[in-house]
Amino acid sequence: MAETKPIIGFIGVGLMGAPMTSRLLAAGYNVVVWNRTREKILPVLNEGATEAESPAGVTSQVDFVFQCLTDAQAVEEVVFGANGISAAGSDHQLLVDFSSMRPDRTREFSTRLREQCGMGWVDAPVSGGVKGAEEGTLAIMAGGKAADVDRVRKAVGQFSARFTHMGSSGAGQVTKLCNQVIAASNLVTIAEAVSLAERCGVDASALPEALAGGFADSIPLQIFGPRFAKRQYEPFLGHVYTMMKDLDTARNLGQKKGAPLPMSSVAVEMLRQIASRGYAEEDFTNVIRLFDRDDRC
């Protein structure tokens, strides 16, 4: 007898949410979608998704609600605002939040949602970018009850290679901040190395191949090394301002917990420099401009 798949709601069908939704549809899930900007859901509607008129409308039709939103303010509005998720949620449903925010905000929202309607909350920020979402190779770090994580594991597995339970509510968000600390520091350093190679007359585009398998190798090197060397800003991989937001969150948390983050401090200040030149809403690859002679202030 064929297994009955849960019905999934997806709220926030943007840069990341669209390919995640597409993979669910391709795997045979019924998906109900809503997005603040309706035009963004048209492609997934053509793939078979069903449209709802509000977050509450999504919630009333599904077993699990997935959401991928910009920040805590957007999450609060979608979950607790007029016609929000909490207005239609129940204790047999789960909200899986792929957004990135402060861990304490996640814990606050999780408690509030459970008190209002009994609905469970899994914080599940992602790493791997648009490419990872499209290819189903995202790394997703989860906070919440282990049983809740297991309930959604198969569905989440349609767009992730790893879905790791890291602990109680907020633990997924802390893990994502650790990810961003490593990723941002690495990416800025890769840009620095590309600049050094170029100024010494070495073909910087060959660095990823030359360093593959060594201690300097990494997924960011293989993806961003060629982009930095070619000044290739498309296809879009991630906003400068998003990384800045996450690093600021990590630094604030580090200060509260007595954990010094000197490398993150350097990385975020470099991002502020490139953002101040008008690239805040552009791709992260633009950080290489900080090392270009002709683009210096």
Side-chain angles (χ1 to χ4, degrees):
M1 184 176 178
E3 178 186 2
T4 300
K5 289 182 170 67
I7 301 173
I8 307 295
F10 212 111
I11 296 173
V13 189
L15 195 65
M16 294 292 290
M20 294 161 79
T21 299
S22 293
R23 290 193 64 87
L24 287 168
L25 291 166
Y29 285 85
N30 291 321
V31 184
V32 183
V33 298
W34 180 85
N35 195 73
R36 191 186 313 272
T37 305
R38 186 176 182 273
E39 288 75 14
K40 292 185 179 180
I41 69 171
L42 297 180
V44 297
L45 292 181
N46 290 333
E47 294 170 13
T50 302
E51 181 180 5
E53 294 184 354
S54 66
V58 171
T59 307
S60 66
Q61 302 178 60
V62 304
D63 299 297
F64 306 139
V65 179
F66 292 174
Q67 67 178 17
C68 190
L69 303 172
T70 306
D71 53 28
Q73 181 178 347
V75 169
E76 184 171 24
E77 182 176 341
V78 165
V79 178
F80 302 108
N83 294 315
I85 292 170
S86 64
S90 66
D91 58 8
H92 69 271
Q93 294 173 299
L94 286 174
L95 172 60
V96 183
D97 182 30
F98 300 112
S99 316
S100 296
M101 72 180 90
R102 285 173 15 207
D104 61 327
R105 293 291 275 164
T106 281
R107 289 189 287 269
E108 173 193 334
F109 291 160
S110 174
T111 299
R112 186 174 164 189
L113 183 65
R114 194 175 297 277
E115 290 175 347
Q116 286 191 11
C117 65
M119 193 173 184
W121 184 303
V122 173
D123 54 293
V126 309
S127 178
V130 176
K131 184 173 185 288
E134 292 173 343
E135 298 178 356
T137 58
L138 292 173
I140 303 180
M141 45 233 76
K145 294 182 178 180
D148 288 345
V149 172
D150 287 340
R151 281 181 64 192
V152 297
R153 186 174 297 280
K154 189 167 184 178
V156 172
Q158 302 307 316
F159 43 77
S160 67
R162 285 168 301 285
F163 182 41
T164 309
H165 183 223
M166 298 300 295
S168 60
S169 179
Q173 298 294 351
V174 173
T175 308
K176 175 60 182 289
L177 293 177
C178 293
N179 178 89
Q180 299 300 76
V181 164
I182 295 169
S185 301
N186 193 8
L187 286 169
V188 170
T189 302
I190 291 167
E192 183 178 283
V194 165
S195 174
L196 176 63
E198 290 173 342
R199 297 190 187 203
C200 292
V202 171
D203 181 6
S205 65
L207 284 175
E209 179 182 357
L211 302 180
F215 282 177
D217 195 15
S218 66
I219 293 174
L221 174 64
Q222 296 303 324
I223 294 175
F224 279 90
R227 286 170 68 94
F228 287 147
K230 298 174 184 176
R231 304 310 190 265
Q232 176 188 336
Y233 307 109
E234 297 291 342
F236 184 85
L237 295 180
H239 291 107
V240 169
Y241 76 79
T242 300
M243 187 66 82
M244 286 173 54
K245 169 183 72 75
D246 290 345
L247 288 181
D248 281 336
T249 300
R251 292 174 70 202
N252 290 337
L253 183 62
Q255 289 173 357
K256 290 179 181 178
K257 299 297 183 180
L261 301 177
M263 302 306 295
S264 299
S265 299
V266 171
V268 77
E269 291 310 316
M270 294 187 71
L271 292 179
R272 287 197 210 291
Q273 289 182 45
I274 200 65
S276 71
R277 300 184 193 184
Y279 298 106
E281 297 190 16
E282 302 297 328
D283 188 84
F284 190 93
T285 309
N286 283 279
V287 74
I288 190 64
R289 297 180 187 273
L290 292 175
F291 300 91
D292 289 342
R293 291 186 179 93
D294 296 338
D295 203 54
R296 291 177 181 272
C297 294

